[in-house]
Amino acid sequence: MTSIGARREARGRVGVSERTLSRGAECGSATMSVPELARLVDVTLPECAELEGVRFPLRRYDARRAILRSGDLFRSLYVVRSGFFKQALLTSSGAEQVVGSPMPGDVIGAEGLDTGVHLTEVVALSNAEVAILPFGQLNGLGNQFSCARRLVARMLGKELNQAIEGVSMLGMLGATARVAQFLTHYSKRLAASGASRVAFDLQMTRAELASFLGIALETVSRALNALANAGLIEIHQRAIRIRDSAGLKALTEDSRPSGLARGAS
């Protein structure tokens, strides 16, 4: 859906935000403080006594439930506290283009800032929990307190950096190098959230990974097998173990497809 089409659809919607929130379940009275939020997104803030009483609600989502849909009105930012998500654009024909894989510490929803309408669909890939940050409240806090402005700026910058790193995977790399770069980046993000960077499960299906990397499903399978045959990773269904992090990284440093990458193209 184009931004113009999304805006037209949004004008005819009533209570979109409320329907979006109803997709998840309230975590009772559970909330997140500003210091907890800052730690989650890895931002160091100076002490700010005025923000000590500010808290944001938490909401749980079951696997395969949508947190946002294309055309929903922009009201809030969401920060992943636990679990994994898939972010995708839907074409007019209903085809899906995966554009992101939010995980703990990631910010969701900033793409709605421009038009006031969300352009992507965000679906939980596992049971998950998010902090809901009403943007009007964030704006008000930012107008009053410099530490709040810094937090909001860093969160938006974090989402922008994730988008840039995602685009970098679609550059001049060959198929296997794209998969290697995805695994390297995914591992780094997991480590930042406190999880293992060498042993993890891929939350996206291979079809979703193919959509994200802009390659065919069969090519993803061949690329993973090529990396395993080269001794860089071990694969068991969705379980991945990285055996040679340096080797994976080296494969992505040359922007031209390597012999290994060409073999999987």
Side-chain angles (χ1 to χ4, degrees):
M1 179 182 297
T2 64
S3 59
I4 293 175
R7 287 196 294 270
R8 286 174 179 167
E9 181 176 335
R11 292 191 191 108
R13 292 190 173 204
V14 178
V16 172
S17 179
E18 286 72 17
R19 289 205 301 275
T20 298
L21 292 181
S22 70
R23 295 174 190 138
E26 294 284 1
C27 300
S29 59
T31 58
M32 177 176 287
S33 69
V34 172
E36 289 170 332
L37 175 63
R39 286 194 294 272
L40 180 60
V41 297
D42 195 25
V43 174
T44 301
L45 289 180
E47 289 190 15
C48 191
E50 294 86 353
L51 297 180
E52 288 182 0
V54 177
R55 304 193 72 86
F56 299 104
L58 297 173
R59 186 172 291 272
R60 293 194 185 99
Y61 289 86
D62 294 333
R64 297 299 168 183
R65 294 292 293 248
I67 179 174
L68 290 172
R69 294 198 184 278
S70 176
D72 283 351
L73 297 178
F74 172 77
R75 297 286 178 81
S76 302
L77 295 176
Y78 304 83
V79 179
V80 183
R81 187 185 191 196
S82 64
F84 298 84
F85 291 85
K86 173 185 66 176
Q87 185 172 16
L89 287 167
L90 300 180
T91 68
S92 57
S93 64
E96 179 183 84
Q97 172 64 56
V98 179
V99 296
S101 57
M103 63 174 59
D106 287 344
V107 180
I108 298 172
E111 98 290 348
L113 273 167
D114 180 29
T115 64
V117 174
H118 290 287
L119 303 180
T120 61
E121 177 175 277
V122 182
V123 176
L125 297 178
S126 65
N127 293 340
E129 186 175 84
V130 301
I132 302 174
L133 284 53
F135 199 71
Q137 182 182 7
L138 289 179
N139 243 351
L141 292 171
N143 289 336
Q144 297 179 66
F145 310 112
S146 60
C147 53
R149 286 196 299 274
R150 177 179 178 181
L151 177 60
V152 174
R154 288 289 301 277
M155 287 193 299
L156 295 179
K158 183 181 179 74
E159 184 166 11
L160 178 59
N161 284 336
Q162 292 287 4
I164 292 172
E165 289 178 340
V167 170
S168 73
M169 297 182 198
L170 305 179
M172 296 178 64
L173 295 175
T176 302
R178 290 189 193 189
V179 174
Q181 184 164 331
F182 172 82
L183 293 176
T184 298
H185 181 48
Y186 197 78
S187 167
K188 177 182 175 182
R189 293 168 62 201
L190 284 172
S193 69
S196 171
R197 68 182 308 157
V198 298
F200 50 84
D201 289 343
L202 288 178
Q203 299 297 321
M204 287 195 289
T205 66
R206 292 192 180 186
E208 290 165 341
L209 180 56
S211 174
F212 182 58
L213 296 177
I215 54 181
L217 170 59
E218 296 80 5
T219 305
V220 168
S221 295
R222 288 199 298 269
L224 287 170
N225 288 335
L227 293 174
N229 291 336
L232 301 178
I233 64 172
E234 294 177 2
I235 314 169
H236 180 66
Q237 297 179 344
R238 291 196 184 187
I240 300 289
R241 175 174 290 277
I242 296 178
R243 297 179 58 190
D244 185 352
S245 298
L248 273 183
K249 185 176 180 181
L251 186 59
T252 69
E253 289 177 346
D254 187 351
S255 62
R256 297 167 300 175
S258 67
L260 183 59
R262 284 194 297 270
S265 297

